[in-house]
Amino acid sequence: MTIALSSDTTAGGLPDGPRTCPAGYRQSYPAIERNPPPFDVPALQRLLDGEYSEIRTSIKTLLSQPEFAYPEAPDLARYRATVLHWTRQVAATGLGRTFMPASVGGEQNLPKFIAAFETFGYHDLSLLIKLGVQFGLFAGSIQRLGTEYHHMKYLPAAATTELLGCFAMTEIGHGSNVQGLKTSAVFQAETDGFIVHTPSFSAGKNYIGNAGEHARLATVFAQLEVQGQHHGVHAFLVPIRDAAGRPLPGITIADNGLKMGLNGVDNGRLWFDRVHVPRREMLNRFAEVSPDGNYRSAIKNPGVRFFTMIGTLVSGRISIAASANSVAKSALTIAIRYGARRRQFGPPTAREETLLLDFPAHQMKLMPLLANAYALDFALKRMVRLNETAGPDQTREIETSAAALKAFATWNTTATVQACREACGGEGYLAVNRLAALRADTDIFTTFEGDNTVLMQLVAKNLLTELSGKVKGMPRLRRAAWLAQEQLTVLAPRQTLLKFHAGTAHLLHSSVQAMYLRLRERCLLLRHASAFQRLMAREKLDAYTAFLRLQPELLELAHAFVARTIQETFIEAIAPLENRPLQSALKRLADLFAVGHLYEQRAWYLENGVFSRRKSEALGRLQQRLCREVRGEAVALTDAFGIPDACLAAPIAL
Amino acid sequence: MTIALSSDTTAGGLPDGPRTCPAGYRQSYPAIERNPPPFDVPALQRLLDGEYSEIRTSIKTLLSQPEFAYPEAPDLARYRATVLHWTRQVAATGLGRTFMPASVGGEQNLPKFIAAFETFGYHDLSLLIKLGVQFGLFAGSIQRLGTEYHHMKYLPAAATTELLGCFAMTEIGHGSNVQGLKTSAVFQAETDGFIVHTPSFSAGKNYIGNAGEHARLATVFAQLEVQGQHHGVHAFLVPIRDAAGRPLPGITIADNGLKMGLNGVDNGRLWFDRVHVPRREMLNRFAEVSPDGNYRSAIKNPGVRFFTMIGTLVSGRISIAASANSVAKSALTIAIRYGARRRQFGPPTAREETLLLDFPAHQMKLMPLLANAYALDFALKRMVRLNETAGPDQTREIETSAAALKAFATWNTTATVQACREACGGEGYLAVNRLAALRADTDIFTTFEGDNTVLMQLVAKNLLTELSGKVKGMPRLRRAAWLAQEQLTVLAPRQTLLKFHAGTAHLLHSSVQAMYLRLRERCLLLRHASAFQRLMAREKLDAYTAFLRLQPELLELAHAFVARTIQETFIEAIAPLENRPLQSALKRLADLFAVGHLYEQRAWYLENGVFSRRKSEALGRLQQRLCREVRGEAVALTDAFGIPDACLAAPIAL
């Protein structure tokens, strides 16, 4: 929602003139042209809703109630108040307890919570983020980093929003580099507590959601020091406001003020001036300090301990990716429906002008993004399941996939909303059609919960680490030979006639697509791992510097990884479907995803002799053909998202 | 500027808490790290300012005055009022008369007006657009489509803003397709005038700047009908409000309401209910109707007449492109300066963390965009000169170049502001750092003054038309043979050893770069022209349908055209420079532009056998190296833009 406007609250802030057209006209657009869908739309929606259709439906019902209607033009204070009110309404449904432990009356059902969060992505995004801060970050940190004392003391009140809180990790001078943050927590035996302190301006906590106005308690991340020993970043519960909302002694709070979007969330900065925190308020699941000042942790390696704590944030990344994809779905629904009713230009002889969706360039703009939204839907569902069932040996796999999907999904949302805005022309620029708010509200998704570029580096680093685990122990020469041999094996297809094969059936074969996607990922991994080794061995660089030198190449590897995994998951998800027409519609989207990606990356395949010119050009033609085919089903494919009209709200799409 | 906020006008709308950090800290970022620039920064600024440095400086002085400070949090009504007040202040300096004819006391200096407009692009963009609407579109249409009667009657009052007006072309149902608009103007001999009428809801004029609240007179584009004969689109001056601001009888005005950005401009919709307009109020430079109902025009062909009228809009496209590039410069200045002060991560042994600008991925994100901004600066200056000096035989050349540059520049601005926002992380999301407003305000630049995709189609169409002029008269077989022969000639370099040449000196040779850019453009033109001919000849398609079928390919051609022309102009502009260090800094940017473009399009060069793998990969390495080199001068290169601190305003950049 765009923030506005006038101090005159009754007029909606718009001066002058009637808001509608003259009485004589029917104020409407032509009907949306719906081809009879070749598949069962409700069946597809059921497939997308999955096993959590009940909570999705009940949230949609809630959000369709009049009190959840987007306010036309609130000022900042009223917008924040509205979002807080909505947050409390949502809490009253029991949502906050969905993922909490049974000991506090919770359902311990994280997948259900994520399904709910995904559904809130169809509505006002300030509400989504407020819920995410209160339940996912604040209550979530207490649940995951704390122990029973903290659970019993805080979670019930957090679930009802009686206790509002915030998650104070990021600092002005340290965003993505959490290990480098500067806020300190020094143990003081004589008071049986910690002194939490902000040593400088730039160590102030920044962009903290809920901190600007509403939070009373903060989960604060600080460098723990016990008896002169530094133990790295740990989390502490620090009260920041009294019951009347006044900052407590030693706490300085500054409002972050207006933002590009998400203005219904009160972000703020926090500084601590030697604030005393009782020892028990340290979140001590992974480490604690005894009254006599002994630091104890079951995890001996400080690096491992840090990443274990931070690793509990992984569900936040999955949730953000899922809700970002909901926004992409909203934007696509708006733009595709508008494209199916708005006409422009046409052959001189035609009775009617051409529908926007019938322009090939329009199809090329929107259809690949529709395929991405579907592909991500299945990839994120698999991620949620994996996160539930994974054993401790899969921690890195989870971290890698969640980071990659969060980055891919949020970048994809930014690109999608942008393309949809342009595809709707001037209508897309009017606030009433909602793309403005979707665009502004989600722009920060690529930055928060881990900056996307930093996350993609993490992906690449994990892939290198995994490989190095495999070759560990090999002598250097042997390792070099192994890497070279692997690379040759991977690139074997270029030695064969396969590279000249440009037939449609071949290119539409899922396993052929998968083979090419895997080939590139694998080859980049082996090549960059060798380059990394060489930089360290020959130029005597430390790992950080070698990594920095190869940064663009390693980011390329991370992109190849995520494309490959998404395609594989998509194929896995549709293989068992028994509803053939549905399966074939989804297969077309999977084809568009794979073919589009291969075509986009064709320069690499050409450079490496994997594709012939004929094959490369055939992929381009095939992509256009798939866009044309998907266009025929596009409106039905957006209908299957099942976004309530009350949430969509854009007049051009209804 | 982001629109906000509270009904409490004194508090700036921000509830709760102090707005600054605790007293004990110095509230600031580390200093911006400025390498000693290897060239004379003021000399570069003088080069960029060109012959209109005087007006640029005086506008910067005006905009730096306190009353032009960005208001912190106006509501919509106050924001519109502020922008109107600013508009009147600017008019008081005489700006409105800059391009007007001498007969009304004008300077007849369009290049100076465009230089001014470009400078306003550094400030609030609602002011820019309000000025553009009032002077460029409204007064401009009277000047260019009207005759002395209209000039004398309206221009003096328009120049002072005593008379505010609007430009009513676009309709709800017809944006880019102006020839298809539905508002009618039927000549009525008995009243010696026209009946201007809106036949349907979707024929209502839409997004009309100044129409929402302030305009009293409108230039209305309507289908002229005289004695049952249709003569196509013509322009009429229609009063829409009385002196008190009330809509006149027969005029329905609806406010367009909140938009993604530019909320200081009052856009509106207009419907006309059989409004009588005296005959003299038709803008009659190119056509007129006599009292007895005879339609006369010196231009006999209706298509030519229409494009002649519309062609006068070309300066609007140039102005928009120039001001869009100013926005890109502002965003780059903010992001590059922030990147030169903010540190994050670092090798374990280092005393300091790494500056953002020293990350290769950060350089790859920003440096090519810095090169684009410089490249566009020179391209647009050449465009302004060409537009001044061109003869009537250059009309198509001007139209083609203006359309291509408008599309390229505005898309580039969208991409640049987006990249800069991401490069500034959370800081980029705060309204105070201005990227939010730059992003939201310019998003519509890719749509208005001609949708970019439609403009790129126009470019491709003109290129095809130009080619067909050359081959006209050849018999079909001869023509086909000629096209095939040309194509072979163009692709000759692939037959030579040139394709294996991957040396840096070779790749940095301007004429080599130009040769490759030209080669691709020429080859696409010949190939797509042949395909177009084939579709018409073999499949008997009409030109519209054949064009539609080839739309993605033709858009590719238009992109190749604009890249080639920009590179050529850049090289031409720096060749005569005598200041060697300056020349070499600019040459590096030109190299980055050309190498970046060739690398981006390398798939095509590989597919067509023009590049070897070695050459393609060498371009990639060279692009990274150029980014690293430009990074060393990046802060100085933004200093040379000469954007006043008061306009820039972002705390992270000062």
Side-chain angles (χ1 to χ4, degrees), chain A residues 25 198 418 439 607 616, chain B residues 25 198 418 421 439 607 616:
Chain A
Y25 305 123
T198 311
Q418 183 64 28
R439 185 73 196 72
E607 280 173 356
S616 176
Chain B
Y25 304 123
T198 311
Q418 183 63 28
R421 201 300 290 158
R439 184 75 195 71
E607 280 173 356
S616 176

Side-chain angles (χ1 to χ4, degrees), chain A residues 564-595:
Chain A
R564 190 266 302 165
T565 55
I566 291 174
Q567 190 264 351
E568 280 182 1
T569 313
F570 204 162
I571 295 303
E572 270 167 39
I574 61 182
L577 294 181
E578 287 170 7
N579 180 331
R580 293 291 166 222
L582 195 56
Q583 190 183 42
S584 94
L586 290 172
K587 175 63 167 67
R588 200 160 13 249
L589 291 167
D591 285 337
L592 182 50
F593 180 86
V595 167

Side-chain angles (χ1 to χ4, degrees), chain B residues 169 177 456:
Chain B
M169 179 183 271
N177 184 4
M456 289 304 250

Side-chain angles (χ1 to χ4, degrees), chain B residues 553-625:
Chain B
E553 288 79 6
L554 291 167
L555 292 174
E556 191 188 16
L557 164 63
H559 283 283
F561 164 81
V562 68
R564 189 265 302 165
T565 55
I566 291 175
Q567 190 263 352
E568 280 182 1
T569 313
F570 204 161
I571 295 303
E572 271 168 38
I574 60 183
L577 294 181
E578 286 171 7
N579 180 332
R580 293 290 166 223
L582 195 57
Q583 190 182 42
S584 94
L586 290 172
K587 175 63 167 68
R588 198 158 17 247
L589 291 168
D591 285 337
L592 182 51
F593 180 86
V595 167
H597 189 84
L598 292 174
Y599 187 64
E600 187 185 295
Q601 298 302 333
R602 69 195 183 282
W604 187 89
Y605 292 97
L606 288 159
E607 280 173 356
N608 287 279
V610 181
F611 286 176
S612 64
R613 168 184 177 169
R614 222 171 94 78
K615 187 166 205 136
S616 176
E617 289 179 344
L619 283 165
R621 283 190 304 273
L622 188 54
Q623 187 192 25
Q624 281 200 39
R625 196 189 97 182

Side-chain angles (χ1 to χ4, degrees), chain A residues 499-502 606 609-617, chain B residues 607:
Chain A
K499 73 192 216 187
F500 298 104
H501 205 334
L606 288 160
V610 181
F611 285 176
S612 64
R613 167 184 179 170
R614 221 169 94 79
K615 187 167 204 136
S616 176
E617 290 180 342
Chain B
E607 280 173 356

Side-chain angles (χ1 to χ4, degrees), chain B residues 325 332 336 365-378 408 412 416 566 570 585-596 626-627 630 637 641:
Chain B
N325 204 39
L332 286 163
I336 287 173
K365 193 181 280 179
L366 297 178
M367 297 307 125
L369 297 167
L370 184 59
N372 284 357
Y374 268 90
L376 272 167
D377 191 287
F378 293 106
F408 185 92
N412 181 64
T416 300
I566 291 175
F570 204 161
L586 290 172
K587 175 63 167 68
R588 198 158 17 247
L589 291 168
D591 285 337
L592 182 51
F593 180 86
V595 167
L626 289 167
C627 284
V630 170
L637 287 166
F641 292 145

Side-chain angles (χ1 to χ4, degrees), chain B residues 4 23 31 40 84 106 120 145 150 162 224 252 282 402 409 411 578 607 636:
Chain B
D40 180 359
L84 178 61
F120 282 107
L145 301 178
H150 309 102
E162 190 197 323
L224 174 62
T252 303
M282 172 171 162
W411 268 327
E578 286 171 7
E607 280 173 356

